[in-house]
């Protein structure tokens, strides 16, 4: 906020004619840039003389393919004999298989009626009657789509993965919440884990655990535990000092203080953590189908390989429904905490839960007796056919020859040759040290020297790994897709911020785009845009757009009404209001939107390897497909570095806000 | 190591020991079935499905027959080829029905570790090559020889291939020497990887709809030939010596491969009827294509396609069942 208000004042101040040093002090960004320029002036000639410009110098790379290859060989030949596998990984893997199987069998035993009633009852208890109806309807829809068994498989996997993530996250969060040292060590680790595109670390997991459920669950836990840990730590650290003092003065022991005061006070953060963990686990459950997780993700993935958008959608819809039900339920539970209990006394507290359990048991029993355990095959709605017809129609009419704008194929080819190609050749022809300089300058102007150092080191690591060129290729795709996302997202958000009706209409659309597994988009985008980098960019835009629209709309709406009123009374036109009041005041939100766009786009551009986006994404896919740890892991590491760099470069005060939102 | 450090270690060790004695000793992660397999406790078979439709056709027919005639429950796992070998050796899947030749894996798992055994010919012969659409070859008959390809590079370029012609490759998991071939044969082409077969098929269909020329890595048998007729481009003849070269130096065509089945070694021993059945599974390209096309073009579910084929050809599959 402070920077935003300072903006209009600046020209006046710098014009007062004080010394240059004072001016610099008032403009820290300029000072930083000057310092950087000085350093560059000294270092660049040295570096340039020694290693030259252009791509990253070979002398500064480390070839990891040898050692990584031997690691692969070692794992393959020792997997069924070495104690590390027999007594450690083996038991983990066993435990995962047993627990997933246990949950799955329980779900099957409950039958479709039992599961539906159970879901509705839980939603009713924690979130109210409306969500109970939504939950029931959603589960019935999964059955109607003919996806009952895969839905239960995904659910079983989710239950185990979420439980494990929550336990792990709680433990990490507790440690970080109670000890400053752990907090300091853990924070960068969690930051990094959140920036990681999930696709990048499937390969090492597969190598150790093989394809199938254990690896999938573990990959999911790695991906989904950080938000729980982060929010737990946040909640514990934020406990009201006054309350804590009061508890201490009453003579409570450390453990009592934790259990009776700190944890209960952090309930809201804990629930938010749970909510985030569930959403991330669900998105990972789909990606993990690439390594044989089974369930709905597998159906989507199989449909993808048969170029069958309809079937992919039929499996994608249950995922969206699960996501919506789980998200809304946990969100409502969080909102309800501390609220007065409502409804008749008979249904409050434990009695309500007992009633819910009783009804569920009764329905499950009836289902069993009437042999209604598995969803009846003949009560399904086949949507695949109509969806495919609709898609074919769309493709037929949009691919070429649309008047004025040209067909999607032309659009894609213009985008590729007009935007992606020049951007890529520009980035790859930039001298490597200048890329580092630009990164440093960007990161330092918006952040601290620490963020700048992280960003530069991450970028340098990419060079050292020997994948400078593909990384620049991927970077060019990310930049192009982010630009499109921001243009579209900001324009939609400006509209939505003005009209409550538009925002309301948009909400379900955004929900669907955000939770629909990215694999579902991949085939329609190929049909529309051909093979290459353009369809990958299109899929990335679709995926990242909702977050940008949401954050921006919220930011624009949150602008102080008094400031708006003031502008209006001064006779500002709506356009002026937007440019001179709303946008500057919403700057933190806009920056956060940029940051989110970057992170989300990167995640999809990688999956774009499946539709011909090449570069790092292709290398990861290749590594997975060929079991080639050297290629896959190096590309994965480069993606992580790229993500880290992009996150740091676009993330000023955003970190704190993301935790709160 | 001080005392406080050792204590958790001792605890961990004793916990492991407890688990070991309580459980089944060492947990062999190579012997774990999918948690979703056989909830009712019946006989099961797990088959690996590869991403191309021909492989889906094999699996769909085998699945139906195993279910209907032999009373098995069948689980399917979709993976890429190399991970599938890995899974087969670990016992995560019981059989691969269509393998296009993975000499490294064969040597490691079949000859050395003996965790996988050969299951014989599938009956289908596979061939990989470079193809152009028939409408293009009809106009320019000489495009079907690699020596003339450079003449056409200009017509075959796309936004993705830059100034060169585009040679479209498919999934990174497929066997391919195309990058080496383009280089060693001095072709003015760029290999563009579609990244998945799905993307490649979609792109070919789009090209065909507009009658645009294209050059693509493709293979037979494949149902798409019925929809988009294609002609093979002649590459330098395949020889054993050429195939034995370093992958970077290969400069000849792909071999013609009788496709193979592979089974998990334990499964062959204990698999009973199912293992017998899968070993005997043997059909022709025509039969496979019949099923593939029902799946891919007519958009039947693999299950429905397999059912129809089974109804029409009892004489073929009857021989695969155990003699009563």
């Amino acid at each position: 906020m402070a920077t935003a208000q300072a903006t209009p004042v600046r020209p006046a101040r710098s014009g007062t004619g004080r010394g240059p040093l004072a001016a610099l002090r008032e403009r820290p960004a300029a000072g930083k840039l000057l310092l950087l320029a000085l350093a560059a002036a000294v270092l660049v000639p040295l570096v340039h003389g020694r290693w030259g410009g252009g791509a990253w110098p070979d002398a500064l790379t480390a070839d990891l393919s040898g050692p990584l290859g031997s690691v692969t060989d070692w794992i393959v030949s020792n997997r069924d004999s070495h104690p590390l596998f027999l007594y450690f990984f083996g038991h983990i893997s066993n435990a995962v298989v047993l627990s997933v199987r246990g949950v799955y069998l329980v779900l099957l035993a409950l039958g479709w009626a039992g599961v539906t009633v159970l879901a509705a009852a839980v939603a009713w208890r924690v979130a109210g009657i409306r969500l109970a109806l939504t939950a029931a309807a959603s589960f019935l829809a999964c059955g109607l789509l003919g996806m009952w068994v895969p839905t239960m498989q995904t659910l079983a996997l989710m239950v185990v993965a979420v439980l494990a993530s929550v336990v792990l996250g709680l433990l990490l969060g507790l440690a970080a919440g109670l000890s400053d040292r752990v907090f300091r060590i853990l924070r960068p680790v969690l930051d990094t884990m959140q920036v990681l595109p999930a696709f990048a670390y499937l390969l090492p997991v597969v190598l150790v655990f093989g394809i199938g459920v254990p690896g999938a669950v573990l990959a999911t836990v790695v991906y989904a535990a950080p938000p729980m840990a982060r929010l737990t730590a946040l909640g514990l650290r934020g406990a009201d000092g006054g309350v804590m003092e009061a508890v201490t003065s009453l003579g409570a022991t450390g453990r009592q203080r934790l259990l009776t005061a700190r944890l209960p006070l952090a309930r809201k953060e804990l629930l938010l953590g749970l909510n985030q963990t569930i959403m991330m686990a669900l998105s990972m459950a789909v990606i993990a189908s690439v390594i044989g997780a089974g369930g709905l993700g597998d159906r989507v993935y199989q449909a993808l390989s048969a170029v069958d958008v309809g079937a992919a959608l039929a499996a994608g819809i249950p995922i969206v429904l699960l996501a919506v039900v789980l998200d809304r339920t946990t969100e409502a539970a969080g909102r309800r905490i501390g609220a007065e209990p409502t409804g008749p006394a008979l249904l409050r507290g434990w009695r309500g839960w007992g009633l819910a359990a009783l009804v569920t048991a009764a329905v499950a029993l009836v289902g069993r007796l009437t042999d209604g355990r598995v969803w009846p095959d003949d009560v399904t709605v086949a949507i695949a056919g109509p969806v495919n017809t609709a898609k074919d129609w769309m493709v037929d009419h949009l691919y070429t020859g649309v008047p004025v704008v040209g067909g999607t194929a032309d659009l894609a080819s213009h985008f590729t040759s007009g935007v992606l190609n020049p951007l890529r050749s520009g980035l790859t022809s930039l001298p490597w040290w200048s890329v580092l300089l630009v990164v440093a300058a960007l990161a330092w102007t918006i952040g601290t020297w620490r963020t700048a150092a992280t960003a530069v080191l991450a970028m340098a690591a990419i060079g050292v790994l020997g994948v400078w060129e593909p990384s620049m290729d991927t970077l060019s795709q990310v930049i192009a897709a982010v630009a499109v996302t921001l243009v579209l997202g900001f324009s939609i958000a400006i509209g939505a911020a003005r009209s409550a009706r538009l925002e309301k209409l948009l909400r379900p659309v955004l929900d669907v785009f955000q939770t629909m597994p990215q694999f579902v988009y991949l085939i329609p985008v190929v049909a529309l845009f051909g093979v290459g980098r353009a369809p990958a960019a299109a899929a990335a835009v679709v995926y990242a757009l909702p977050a940008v629209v949401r954050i921006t709309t919220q930011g624009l709406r949150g602008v102080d009404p008094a400031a708006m009123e003031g502008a209006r009374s001064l006779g500002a036109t709506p356009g002026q209001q937007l440019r001179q009041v709303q946008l500057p005041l919403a700057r933190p939100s806009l920056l956060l939107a940029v940051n989110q766009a970057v992170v989300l786009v990167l995640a999809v551009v990688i999956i774009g390897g499946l539709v011909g986006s090449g570069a790092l994404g292709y290398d990861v896919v290749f590594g997975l497909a060929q079991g080639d740890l050297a290629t896959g892991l190096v590309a994965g590491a480069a993606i992580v570095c790229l993500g880290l760099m992009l996150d740091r470069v676009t993330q000023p005060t955003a970190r704190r806000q993301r935790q709160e939102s | 190591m001080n005392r406080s450090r050792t204590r958790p270690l001792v605890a961990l060790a004793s916990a492991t020991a407890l688990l070991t004695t309580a459980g089944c000793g060492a947990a062999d992660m190579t012997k774990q079935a999918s948690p979703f397999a056989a909830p009712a406790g019946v006989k099961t078979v797990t088959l690996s499905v590869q991403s191309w439709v021909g492989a889906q056709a094999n699996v769909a027919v085998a699945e139906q027959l195993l279910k209907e005639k032999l009373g098995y429950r069948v689980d399917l796992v979709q993976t890429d080829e190399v991970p599938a070998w890995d899974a087969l050796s670990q016992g995560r899947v019981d059989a691969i029905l269509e393998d296009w030749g993975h000499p490294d894996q064969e040597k490691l798992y079949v000859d050395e570790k003996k965790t996988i055994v050969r299951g014989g010919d599938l009956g289908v012969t596979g061939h990989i090559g470079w193809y152009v659409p028939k409408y293009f070859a009809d106009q320019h008959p000489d495009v079907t020889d690699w020596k003339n390809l450079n003449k056409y590079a200009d017509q075959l370029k796309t936004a993705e291939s830059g100034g060169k012609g585009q040679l479209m490759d498919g999934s990174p998991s497929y066997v391919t020497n195309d990058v080496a071939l383009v280089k060693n044969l001095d072709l003015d082409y760029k290999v563009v990887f579609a990244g998945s077969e799905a993307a490649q098929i979609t792109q070919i269909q789009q090209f065909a709809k507009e009658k645009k020329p294209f050059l693509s890595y493709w293979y037979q048998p494949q149902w798409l030939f019925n929809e988009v007729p294609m002609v093979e481009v002649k590459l330098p003849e395949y020889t054993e010596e050429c195939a034995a070269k370093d992958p970077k130096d290969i400069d000849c065509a792909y071999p013609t491969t009788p496709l193979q089945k592979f089974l998990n070694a334990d499964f062959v021993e204990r698999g009973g009827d199912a293992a017998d059945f899968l070993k005997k599974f043997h059909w022709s390209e025509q039969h496979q294509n019949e099923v593939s096309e029902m799946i891919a073009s007519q958009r039947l579910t693999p299950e429905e396609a397999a059912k129809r084929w089974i109804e029409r050809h009892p004489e073929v599959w009857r021989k695969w069942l155990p003699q009563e």
Side-chain angles (χ1 to χ4, degrees):
Chain A
M1 201 59 130
T3 47
Q5 280 166 348
T7 326
V9 193
R10 252 184 220 154
R13 268 202 211 161
S14 56
T16 50
R18 277 181 291 170
L21 266 181
L24 273 185
R25 209 168 296 133
E26 262 153 37
R27 290 181 151 197
K32 288 173 183 173
L33 285 181
L34 196 71
L35 232 118
L36 205 63
L38 279 176
V42 177
L43 286 176
V44 164
L46 278 177
V47 164
H48 193 78
R50 178 126 169 63
W51 290 297
W56 187 268
D58 284 338
L60 295 183
T61 59
D63 186 10
L64 293 181
S65 58
L68 284 177
S70 48
V71 169
T72 316
D73 291 346
W74 186 85
I75 293 178
V76 169
S77 52
N78 286 287
R79 203 164 32 195
D80 42 7
S81 55
H82 195 276
L84 179 66
F85 291 94
L86 290 181
Y87 296 104
F88 183 66
F89 289 130
H91 282 297
I92 293 183
S93 172
N94 244 341
V96 170
V97 170
L98 285 179
S99 20
V100 172
R101 187 172 178 77
V103 178
Y104 181 56
L105 290 183
V106 168
L107 289 174
L108 285 189
L110 281 174
W112 64 267
V115 171
T116 309
V117 171
L118 180 66
V122 171
W124 168 60
R125 288 307 301 147
V126 301
I129 195 75
R130 268 187 60 188
L131 271 165
L133 291 177
T134 316
S138 301
F139 273 89
L140 292 178
C142 297
L144 275 178
L145 286 166
M147 287 289 153
W148 188 259
V149 171
T151 308
M152 290 306 109
Q153 291 178 344
T154 296
L155 206 58
L157 205 119
M158 285 279 298
V159 168
V160 173
V162 168
L163 276 181
S165 310
V166 165
V167 170
L168 181 69
L170 270 179
L171 289 178
L172 288 178
L174 268 178
L178 298 178
S179 144
D180 284 330
R181 195 143 128 234
V182 178
F183 184 67
R184 268 203 308 276
I185 300 174
L186 212 56
R187 211 178 52 177
V189 177
L190 294 179
D191 277 0
T192 316
M193 282 165 90
Q194 269 191 321
V195 183
L196 295 188
F199 209 50
Y201 57 80
L202 290 178
L203 183 60
V205 176
V206 175
L207 211 72
V208 172
F209 289 95
I211 59 158
V213 171
V217 167
L218 287 167
T220 310
V221 171
V222 173
Y223 189 60
M228 190 74 211
R230 185 191 286 284
L231 282 154
T232 308
L234 194 78
L236 290 181
R237 304 195 138 252
D240 188 355
V243 177
M244 292 313 295
E245 211 156 293
V247 178
T248 316
S249 70
L250 286 173
T253 63
R255 184 181 301 174
Q256 281 171 337
R257 261 182 313 197
L258 180 67
L259 290 179
T260 59
R262 279 205 155 178
L263 278 178
L265 281 175
R267 267 186 313 192
K268 276 217 155 107
E269 279 83 5
L270 293 183
L271 262 170
L272 183 59
L274 176 68
N275 172 292
Q276 294 283 308
T277 296
I278 289 176
M279 299 315 277
M280 294 186 81
L282 194 56
S283 73
M284 189 63 187
V286 178
I287 294 175
S289 66
V290 176
I291 58 169
L296 292 168
D298 186 61
R299 295 299 177 98
V300 175
Y301 191 51
Q302 285 195 26
L304 176 71
S305 61
V307 206
D308 191 340
V309 182
L313 199 65
I317 291 172
I319 296 173
V320 174
L321 292 176
L322 276 186
V324 168
V325 168
L326 291 170
D327 178 48
R328 298 276 194 279
T329 310
T330 42
E331 194 202 331
R335 237 184 298 119
R336 279 191 158 200
I337 280 184
E340 287 293 306
T342 52
L346 200 69
L347 297 177
R348 277 183 221 159
W350 289 110
R351 274 190 225 154
W353 282 107
L355 184 71
L358 212 67
V359 172
T360 308
V363 171
L365 200 67
V366 169
R368 252 205 126 100
L369 294 177
T370 53
D371 204 25
R373 280 197 292 161
V374 180
W375 186 272
D377 271 340
D378 43 350
V379 193
T380 54
V381 183
I383 65 159
V387 169
N388 281 325
T389 318
K391 181 215 106 190
D392 288 344
W393 185 89
M394 236 173 66
V395 170
D396 283 345
H397 289 77
L398 295 180
Y399 190 63
T400 48
V402 178
V404 190
V405 287
T408 49
D410 311 328
L411 220 64
S413 131
H414 289 317
F415 186 68
T416 307
S417 46
V419 179
L420 286 170
N421 283 347
L423 203 57
R424 176 170 66 181
S425 44
L427 278 177
T428 40
S429 64
L430 275 183
W432 59 276
W433 42 261
S434 70
V435 176
L436 295 189
L437 266 180
V438 170
V439 166
L442 279 174
W444 205 10
T445 35
I446 2 189
T448 61
W449 67 270
R450 258 169 208 269
T451 44
T454 316
V456 171
L457 281 179
M459 214 52 215
I462 290 176
V464 172
L465 286 170
V467 282
W468 184 260
E469 284 203 22
S471 302
M472 287 297 128
D473 188 350
T474 298
L475 184 60
S476 71
Q477 297 176 36
V478 171
I479 292 175
V482 166
V484 176
T485 311
L486 291 180
V487 169
L488 284 176
F490 285 168
S491 0
I492 297 175
I494 288 169
R498 296 235 162 136
S499 142
R501 186 187 285 169
L502 180 63
E503 197 189 0
K504 213 170 180 181
L505 278 177
L506 273 177
R507 192 171 175 201
V509 179
L510 296 182
D511 273 348
V512 168
F513 279 172
Q514 213 166 15
T515 45
M516 185 66 86
Q518 302 106 352
F519 287 156
V520 176
Y521 312 141
L522 288 182
I523 283 308
V525 292
V526 170
L528 285 174
F529 302 105
V531 154
R533 285 165 290 158
V541 170
V542 174
Y543 185 62
L545 204 53
V548 172
V549 171
R550 282 225 168 95
I551 297 170
T552 317
T553 313
Q554 239 172 41
L556 291 178
R557 285 251 159 129
V559 166
D560 186 4
M564 291 295 289
E565 196 49 56
R568 223 169 284 142
S569 66
L570 287 173
T573 63
Q576 285 170 331
Q577 286 172 29
L578 182 71
R579 274 194 309 278
Q580 293 171 354
V581 183
Q582 259 185 317
L583 287 181
L585 284 180
R587 199 180 139 214
S589 304
L590 299 187
L591 283 171
L592 180 61
V594 174
N595 177 270
Q596 287 296 291
V598 163
V599 172
L600 295 173
V601 161
L602 181 66
V604 183
V605 161
I606 296 311
I607 295 179
L610 290 169
V611 292
S613 75
L616 293 178
Y618 175 78
D619 285 348
V620 173
V621 179
F622 177 86
L624 265 175
Q626 297 283 355
D628 182 345
L629 195 63
T631 312
L633 210 59
V634 165
I639 291 165
V640 170
C641 291
L642 209 56
L644 209 60
M645 183 278 283
L646 285 167
D647 183 60
R648 291 301 182 275
V649 162
T650 55
Q651 177 213 82
T653 48
R655 177 69 67 202
R656 200 161 301 135
Q657 277 164 5
R658 182 151 63 176
Q659 282 167 356
E660 281 159 16
S661 68
Chain B
M1 194 179 284
N2 60 28
R3 224 187 134 71
S4 64
R5 264 275 181 84
T6 38
R7 204 173 286 159
L9 269 184
V10 171
L12 190 76
S14 38
T16 317
L18 200 72
L19 269 174
T20 319
T21 43
C24 42
D28 190 349
M29 52 199 296
T30 64
K31 300 277 189 298
Q32 290 164 346
S34 154
F36 306 131
V42 285
K43 312 184 279 183
T44 65
V45 180
T46 309
L47 298 176
S48 153
V49 197
Q50 279 90 50
S51 59
W52 60 92
V53 184
Q56 288 181 350
N58 304 327
V59 168
V61 169
E63 181 189 10
Q64 279 303 308
L65 290 169
L66 280 167
K67 264 193 200 160
E68 302 295 326
K69 308 293 172 200
L70 298 175
Y72 278 81
R73 202 195 120 82
V74 180
D75 270 302
L76 307 181
V77 179
Q78 170 153 346
T79 46
D80 288 316
E81 292 168 78
V82 176
W85 271 84
D86 216 32
L88 187 63
S89 93
Q90 288 189 308
R92 295 273 164 88
V93 297
D94 295 323
I96 294 178
L97 295 181
E98 181 172 317
D99 184 73
W100 284 67
H102 289 88
D104 291 351
Q105 275 75 16
E106 256 178 78
K107 208 175 120 227
L108 175 65
Y109 294 118
V110 180
D111 300 338
E112 286 171 20
K113 293 175 75 91
K114 303 199 189 311
T115 46
I116 295 178
V117 293
R118 295 193 168 83
D121 281 357
L122 172 70
V124 177
T125 302
H127 177 66
I128 300 171
W130 291 1
Y131 290 85
V132 290
K134 191 166 178 304
Y135 51 77
F136 186 54
D138 287 346
Q139 284 167 6
H140 309 277
D142 63 339
V143 74
T144 56
D145 193 322
W146 68 273
K147 288 178 193 137
N148 304 322
L149 275 179
N150 277 348
K151 262 199 332 205
Y152 294 97
D154 217 32
Q155 293 190 46
L156 291 168
K157 71 181 177 202
T158 64
E160 271 307 318
S161 64
K164 300 175 170 184
Q166 170 172 297
L167 166 60
M168 185 165 54
D169 260 52
S171 158
S173 72
Y174 295 176
V175 177
T176 169
N177 307 320
D178 284 2
V179 177
L181 279 171
V182 165
K183 194 172 136 268
N184 297 333
L185 299 177
D186 277 327
L187 295 176
D188 189 20
Y189 281 78
K190 186 176 175 208
V191 183
V192 172
F193 284 89
S196 58
E197 190 187 45
Q200 198 181 5
I201 291 179
T202 311
Q203 179 72 79
I204 288 179
Q205 285 171 330
Q206 289 292 17
F207 280 142
K209 212 177 276 170
E210 290 182 85
K211 296 263 180 280
K212 268 173 94 169
F214 63 85
L215 174 68
S216 181
Y217 166 102
W218 206 232
Y219 60 92
Q220 282 176 311
Q222 231 292 349
W223 60 272
L224 191 66
F225 282 104
N226 300 347
E227 200 181 306
V228 183
M230 287 181 252
V231 184
E232 189 174 356
V233 175
K234 238 185 252 129
L235 288 169
E237 203 183 331
Y238 172 81
T239 57
E240 299 270 334
E241 305 91 75
C242 162
K245 285 186 194 170
D246 189 285
K248 274 192 290 257
D249 300 327
I250 285 182
D251 54 1
C252 62
Y254 293 89
T256 300
T257 330
L259 304 182
Q260 298 297 306
K261 293 173 290 178
F262 288 92
L263 307 175
N264 176 276
D266 282 344
F267 172 70
V268 171
E269 261 171 44
R270 293 179 288 100
D273 285 352
D276 268 358
F277 166 84
L278 289 174
K279 274 199 245 167
K280 284 189 202 150
F281 191 104
H282 186 280
W283 61 349
S284 67
E285 278 151 48
Q286 274 156 352
H287 287 305
Q288 194 196 50
N289 268 346
E290 194 180 327
V291 182
S292 301
E293 224 200 320
M294 283 193 270
I295 298 173
S297 303
Q298 302 171 29
R299 297 228 183 267
L300 294 184
T301 60
E303 196 186 357
E304 185 58 37
K307 270 186 192 151
R308 289 194 194 174
W309 182 86
I310 287 168
E311 242 165 59
R312 280 181 222 156
H313 303 281
E315 79 289 349
V316 181
W317 54 261
R318 209 148 272 149
K319 284 180 276 179
W320 308 339
L321 298 179
Q323 260 73 49
E324 265 128 76

